[in-house]
Amino acid sequence: MSKPPRQDIDESELHVGEPKQWAAGIPGVLVSLQRGIQQMGPGRTVRALRVLNQREGFDCPGCAWPEPQGHRKLAEFCENGAKAVAEEATTRRVGPEFFARHPVAELAERTDYWLGQQGRITHPMVLRPGGTHYEPISWDEAFDLIATELSALDSPNEAVFYTSGRTSNEAAFLYQLLVRSFGTNNLPDCSNMCHESSGAALNETIGIGKGSVSLADLIQADLIMVVGQNPGTNHPRMLSALEQAKGAGARVVAVNPLPEAGLMRFKNPQNVRGVLGRGTPLADEFCQIRLGGDLALFQAIGHLLVSWDADAPGTVLDAEFLREHAHGFAEYAEHVRALDWALVEEATGLDREQITKVARMVADAERVVVCWAMGLTQHRQSVPAIREIVNVMLLRGMIGKPGAGLCPVRGHSNVQGDRTMGIWEKMPESFLAALEREFGITVPREHGYDTVAALRAMRDGGPAKVFMGLGGNFVSATPDTEVTERALRSCRLTVQVSTKLNRSHVVPGRTALILPTLGRTERDVRAGRARFVTVEDSMSVVHRSRGRLAPASEHLRSEVSILCGLARRLFGPDHPVPWELFERDYDEIRERIARVVPGCADYNRKVRQPDGFVLPHPPRDAREFPTATGRANLTVNPIEVLRVPAGRLLLQTMRSHDQYNTTIYGLDDRYRGVKDGRRVVLVSPADLAELGLAADQLVDLVSEWPDDPTGVTERRAERFRVVAYPTARGCAAAYFPEANALVPLDSVAQTSNTPTSKSIVVRLEPVA
Ligand SMILES: Nc1nc2c(c(=O)[nH]1)N[C@H]1C(S)=C(S)[C@@H](COP(=O)(O)OP(=O)(O)OC[C@H]3O[C@@H](n4cnc5c(=O)[nH]c(N)nc54)[C@H](O)[C@@H]3O)O[C@H]1N2
Ligand SMILES: Nc1nc2c(c(=O)[nH]1)N[C@H]1C(S)=C(S)[C@@H](COP(=O)(O)OP(=O)(O)OC[C@H]3O[C@@H](n4cnc5c(=O)[nH]c(N)nc54)[C@H](O)[C@@H]3O)O[C@H]1N2
Ligand SMILES: [Mo]
């Protein structure tokens, strides 16, 4: 049973007002400045925000939304980007005195909010077997300790090396090189819980797991569908692009169980209309879909497109595209002709009339972009749902032409780059062979663990004894909190390379290390020279990022330096990889990236161009599809309705406006009207009436999953306040990570193995 951690958040202060009808505007500007000044004072706030997302500055450590090519505005950031910077550039510190004062057992009772608010970690710290407190340790001793534990393993596969998506390309490339040199492909990453479903669906259908649009395409589109995404909170700069597209005549369709403020109306703080006026209405059509209904929606759209074209051949489908570039049309058309509308209406909760209206918009548009994020990727049927989006786009030839394409909107600022650099438990043979050729090493071919597989191995007492995390907060980000925590505690050694304190530090293995690192915002100086790293955004643009602020402590090392230090200790001086040289000169790392990573030739020169460079994408660039068939594949995906037993709801776990994943900035979800608390569950008034529950009542959330292979079929998260909210019928919503305890580790998406964080069957039990 998951008890709320000790009350450092006073949930009795919580209150709920009306949800907002619009996003950004003046309150957004005020909040970003206020949070900056609280955390880092006025001088550092100005210094930081002045270079945020500028060419000679640092890439925002928030989301992966791209910067415009060419002209950049003076303030090329958003409220939540400013909060991410404030959180990292804070002047608060967590040093050895802090750890001496607080036993780990006490810290384990704290929320991620409290832990994060303590400030930046300043020294390498160790928790020794049986110890009660973290103590300082030298870098050399820390590397010794890790090398000793790793060398003592029976097999390299007993170690797991996690990555979160803030890691630079240089550090990611070295990390996978270290891990594969050591002898394992156990490289789970946050992507496994994020856009893995997109990668799986796109690889199979178009031959590359990345989106096919540029920012310019989005702005030129005449129809943009925003599906399962809350850009007002999680990608606020996307709203400016939507506003621009609307200004040029585009129509926007929002598909979401929640009427998210950012999708409804946007007040751009950078123009007068946004500051003074009513802002721009964004969504022309809002489909309030049931959780998990998107596969059925897109299949119904495909059905209508196919049948309208059958009535008037050549008027709807792009026959030439289908003939020249696609595979599988006949089987697809046959499948969708037999569409069962009753099933579609049950799955989506939408009526046929609205679906027909949206299909008409798709049929009439010349340039369609579909954007999506976690609302699509974290369900059992996520991969087929995304394949179904691809089907619709292929029918109309909406790929590989200006103003059109597929746009999975990435999360972490460099999650896409980390994958490009080889952070994946199953990199293709061509990449592994190139590594061997370049470095004269041997690397394993057996696939490694992804996030869920790593946790299962630990849970089942299997071979996972050392855990290392390059960033992130593995314990709080992963599902099934109780199981996860037990799994981590069962490790012989846990190592966290981190900027700030989080729950993964206080749920330790027998020995635990915290290795503090420089963040994106900080100067990385060596021999008097300030160095830069590179990152890739959501639209495959690779560019430089150079920190400009003074580091939080003189003891911090860059991620590259930490990895090189560890590798030298682990492999000794005769290793064929020149770790020492890499640590000295990042250009040397980039030379190797250029020779190993596809699309990166001439890397050092190209990343020095003002806007960096765009990685190749064959479908986007040339309508070439490197799939098994050599064409874009249409696929057949049966509709499965997520049926929920009577008296139960389908729960999604999502982000508030005041958090970055497990980093909680504050306690307000401004757009949704929630203030000063986080343990809320949003339910439609009609469902509340049917369940006999009242707004403001306290309930426990109990998840039910009879199929659980471990036999634990119920999970509980205690004391959530009921909020009457205009969400889709039969659906509920609560915040991540508080609700992660409810997501069973084995409940995952087909193919991608992503936890089903957005569709959990729950009952709400009133607290006596
Ligand atoms: N400020 C801030 N920015 C962030 C992050 C953050 O935490 N804070 N996180 C970053 C990361 S790692 C990521 S991955 C992204 C996440 O960006 P989002 O995907 O926008 O994040 P979520 O809060 O998970 O929101 C999911 C949205 O999908 C909707 N949804 C849920 N289920 C369904 C469904 O079945 N169908 C449809 N159509 N919609 C559904 C929800 O109502 C919600 O609007 O943001 C990135 N940017
Ligand atoms: N229930 C539920 N679970 C989810 C999700 C959901 O929607 N619902 N979303 C999933 C998604 S989309 C994702 S991406 C994952 C996120 O999973 P993670 O990426 O593991 O989690 P974060 O909260 O982003 O990690 C925050 C920590 O990263 C460290 N950090 C920050 N910046 C840096 C840096 O520059 N370098 C280093 N080394 N460390 C740094 C800090 O110590 C901070 O505490 O969570 C997933 N979990
Ligand atoms: Mo993510």
Side-chain angles (χ1 to χ4, degrees):
M1 186 188 303
S2 147
K3 293 207 168 34
R6 206 161 76 195
Q7 289 305 321
D8 45 51
I9 302 174
D10 181 0
E11 295 279 349
S12 68
E13 296 283 307
L14 176 117
H15 57 264
V16 181
E18 283 294 300
K20 297 276 175 300
Q21 300 298 317
W22 49 271
I26 285 288
V29 178
L30 291 181
V31 172
S32 47
L33 290 176
Q34 179 202 344
R35 291 291 164 76
I37 291 165
Q38 268 167 14
Q39 293 278 354
M40 49 183 174
R44 205 167 152 91
T45 302
V46 171
R47 281 197 300 282
L49 297 184
R50 208 173 45 208
V51 288
L52 174 53
N53 286 338
Q54 300 298 326
R55 283 181 182 146
E56 294 306 318
F58 51 85
D59 186 55
C60 182
C63 74
W65 190 256
E67 283 75 53
Q69 303 269 311
H71 173 73
R72 297 203 184 164
K73 297 193 195 73
L74 204 53
E76 196 55 66
F77 61 87
C78 68
E79 170 190 352
N80 281 345
K83 287 188 205 161
V85 168
E87 191 75 17
E88 179 176 304
T90 180
T91 50
R92 300 176 192 162
R93 295 290 177 267
V94 172
E97 342 60 62
F98 173 91
F99 288 105
R101 232 176 17 247
H102 299 282
V104 176
E106 179 213 311
L107 296 174
E109 299 278 300
R110 299 293 191 173
T111 59
D112 268 304
Y113 174 58
W114 188 92
L115 293 171
Q117 289 299 310
Q118 304 312 304
R120 287 287 298 276
I121 305 163
T122 58
H123 290 66
M125 303 295 298
V126 64
L127 180 69
R128 302 197 189 266
T132 53
H133 293 71
Y134 273 100
E135 317 154 20
I137 183 174
S138 73
W139 281 102
D140 283 342
E141 203 201 324
F143 294 147
D144 270 351
L145 208 158
I146 304 171
T148 306
E149 287 284 356
L150 286 176
S151 309
L153 296 174
D154 290 336
S155 147
N157 291 332
E158 292 181 350
V160 168
F161 299 89
Y162 175 71
T163 316
S164 165
R166 268 193 202 175
T167 293
S168 66
N169 283 350
E170 288 75 2
F173 183 76
L174 292 191
Y175 193 45
Q176 61 84 32
L177 182 59
L178 183 158
V179 170
R180 295 193 164 107
S181 298
F182 176 62
T184 181
N185 281 310
N186 284 345
L187 283 159
D189 67 350
C190 65
S191 206
N192 299 147
M193 299 177 270
C194 185
H195 267 294
E196 200 66 60
S197 303
S198 308
L202 295 178
N203 263 316
E204 182 188 340
T205 52
I206 66 166
I208 173 169
K210 298 181 180 183
S212 75
V213 298
S214 66
L215 197 51
D217 288 323
L218 186 67
I219 293 165
Q220 287 166 40
D222 62 2
L223 177 66
I224 302 170
M225 298 188 71
V226 183
V227 189
Q229 199 203 337
N230 179 19
T233 286
N234 298 311
H235 304 91
R237 284 180 302 133
M238 180 175 168
L239 299 187
S240 310
L242 291 177
E243 187 190 36
Q244 251 180 294
K246 292 276 308 190
R251 294 199 289 173
V252 174
V253 175
V255 182
N256 202 307
L258 298 173
E260 304 286 25
L263 294 171
M264 298 306 156
R265 184 173 282 277
F266 173 50
K267 296 195 183 182
N268 191 338
Q270 289 178 333
N271 66 38
V272 175
R273 189 162 39 103
V275 172
L276 301 176
R278 286 176 42 73
T280 309
L282 287 182
D284 297 271
E285 190 67 29
F286 170 47
C287 298
Q288 187 161 39
I289 198 164
R290 207 173 153 256
L291 289 169
D294 305 87
L295 190 165
L297 170 64
F298 280 88
Q299 193 159 115
I301 294 173
H303 161 88
L304 289 169
L305 298 180
V306 168
S307 63
W308 291 336
D309 197 77
D311 294 344
T315 57
V316 178
L317 304 185
D318 186 335
E320 189 196 326
F321 181 90
L322 291 171
R323 197 174 53 242
E324 300 296 323
H325 303 291
H327 174 268
F329 174 71
E331 296 85 336
Y332 169 80
E334 189 187 320
H335 175 71
V336 299
R337 248 181 246 122
L339 187 83
D340 176 350
W341 273 104
L343 208 58
V344 170
E345 290 184 342
E346 185 190 356
T348 59
L350 304 172
D351 59 42
R352 187 169 174 166
E353 192 186 331
Q354 188 180 28
I355 296 174
T356 306
K357 184 169 170 199
V358 172
R360 198 71 255 173
M361 291 165 88
V362 175
D364 292 344
E366 276 164 32
R367 296 173 304 279
V368 183
V369 173
V370 181
C371 303
W372 71 89
M374 294 306 99
L376 274 207
T377 61
Q378 299 175 334
H379 300 282
R380 208 176 93 79
Q381 293 276 79
S382 282
V383 176
I386 297 165
R387 285 200 299 244
E388 209 57 64
I389 293 180
V390 175
N391 284 337
V392 167
M393 296 293 271
L394 295 180
L395 289 178
R396 298 233 46 238
M398 290 295 170
I399 188 157
K401 72 174 198 183
L406 298 159
C407 184
V409 182
R410 291 283 179 155
H412 265 300
S413 52
N414 197 39
V415 62
Q416 188 160 317
D418 292 346
R419 197 45 81 78
T420 305
M421 293 297 131
I423 302 292
W424 199 22
E425 73 282 356
K426 45 184 183 202
M427 281 305 277
E429 173 58 29
S430 54
F431 184 92
L432 301 176
L435 268 186
E436 291 188 330
R437 265 200 312 279
E438 177 62 30
F439 293 103
I441 53 173
T442 311
V443 307
R445 295 303 196 273
E446 187 193 346
H447 288 175
Y449 294 137
D450 63 11
T451 294
V452 165
L455 280 164
R456 279 185 197 150
M458 292 179 210
R459 175 192 68 188
D460 303 337
K465 301 201 171 105
V466 173
F467 173 91
M468 176 164 173
L470 188 59
N473 182 359
F474 191 73
V475 164
S476 293
T478 48
D480 228 350
T481 312
E482 230 188 303
V483 172
T484 302
E485 294 197 350
R486 229 179 307 124
L488 261 279
R489 287 185 196 279
S490 76
C491 291
R492 296 167 58 106
L493 172 69
T494 50
V495 182
Q496 310 286 351
V497 179
S498 309
T499 51
K500 300 194 76 177
L501 196 61
N502 64 46
R503 196 153 175 81
S504 298
H505 304 120
V506 299
V507 180
R510 196 158 63 98
T511 302
L513 281 167
I514 303 176
L515 305 180
T517 189
L518 293 173
R520 210 46 92 59
T521 57
E522 288 162 318
R523 280 197 293 273
D524 179 359
V525 179
R526 166 125 191 166
R529 265 179 60 213
R531 310 190 291 178
F532 69 86
V533 291
T534 55
V535 293
E536 175 185 343
D537 67 30
S538 196
M539 295 177 178
S540 304
V541 182
V542 179
H543 62 90
R544 284 173 299 161
S545 173
R546 190 155 63 93
R548 301 282 289 269
L549 301 180
S553 140
E554 59 181 344
H555 306 288
L556 304 185
R557 294 199 179 176
S558 70
E559 292 182 333
V560 166
S561 160
I562 293 170
L563 294 169
C564 291
L566 173 60
R568 285 163 61 194
R569 176 62 191 78
L570 183 63
F571 302 130
D574 300 328
H575 198 250
V577 178
W579 298 103
E580 202 173 340
L581 180 64
F582 286 165
E583 176 164 13
R584 246 191 347 258
D585 186 352
Y586 295 178
D587 274 352
E588 292 288 341
I589 310 172
R590 290 186 279 263
E591 281 308 311
R592 305 309 181 98
I593 290 174
R595 291 208 285 269
V596 171
V597 182
C600 290
D602 207 10
Y603 197 76
N604 264 313
R605 184 187 64 79
K606 288 200 286 194
V607 296
R608 285 178 165 84
Q609 297 171 151
D611 286 319
F613 72 102
V614 184
L615 282 168
H617 187 291
R620 178 198 64 206
D621 303 337
R623 292 195 156 177
E624 280 168 12
F625 299 90
T627 60
T629 61
R631 287 164 164 259
N633 292 317
L634 287 118
T635 52
V636 170
N637 307 292
I639 296 174
E640 265 180 35
V641 183
L642 290 169
R643 293 203 175 89
V644 175
R648 312 297 190 262
L649 298 169
L650 210 48
L651 176 80
Q652 64 155 321
T653 59
M654 61 181 188
R655 291 149 177 83
S656 83
H657 193 63
D658 238 359
Q659 72 185 84
Y660 193 93
N661 298 340
T662 69
T663 300
I664 312 301
Y665 302 141
L667 303 178
D668 299 344
D669 194 3
R670 195 169 81 242
Y671 297 156
R672 299 194 185 108
V674 176
K675 215 169 146 31
D676 290 324
R678 292 183 46 87
R679 292 184 87 86
V680 291
V681 55
L682 316 185
V683 184
S684 80
D687 282 321
L688 287 183
E690 208 172 284
L691 294 170
L693 292 168
D696 238 25
Q697 192 171 350
L698 274 184
V699 293
D700 286 351
L701 304 180
V702 185
S703 81
E704 300 178 358
W705 195 48
D707 300 334
D708 197 304
T710 65
V712 181
T713 55
E714 290 203 348
R715 290 165 172 79
R716 183 180 294 262
E718 292 184 328
R719 305 181 74 80
F720 283 69
R721 197 170 293 276
V722 171
V723 175
Y725 199 88
T727 182
R729 278 302 302 272
C731 300
Y735 300 130
F736 139 63
E738 283 81 354
N740 285 36
L742 300 168
V743 186
L745 181 60
D746 291 285
S747 173
V748 291
Q750 298 162 340
T751 318
S752 65
N753 225 22
T754 296
T756 57
S757 313
K758 299 260 193 290
S759 44
I760 312 153
V761 176
V762 292
R763 65 171 191 270
L764 276 48
E765 268 187 20
V767 172

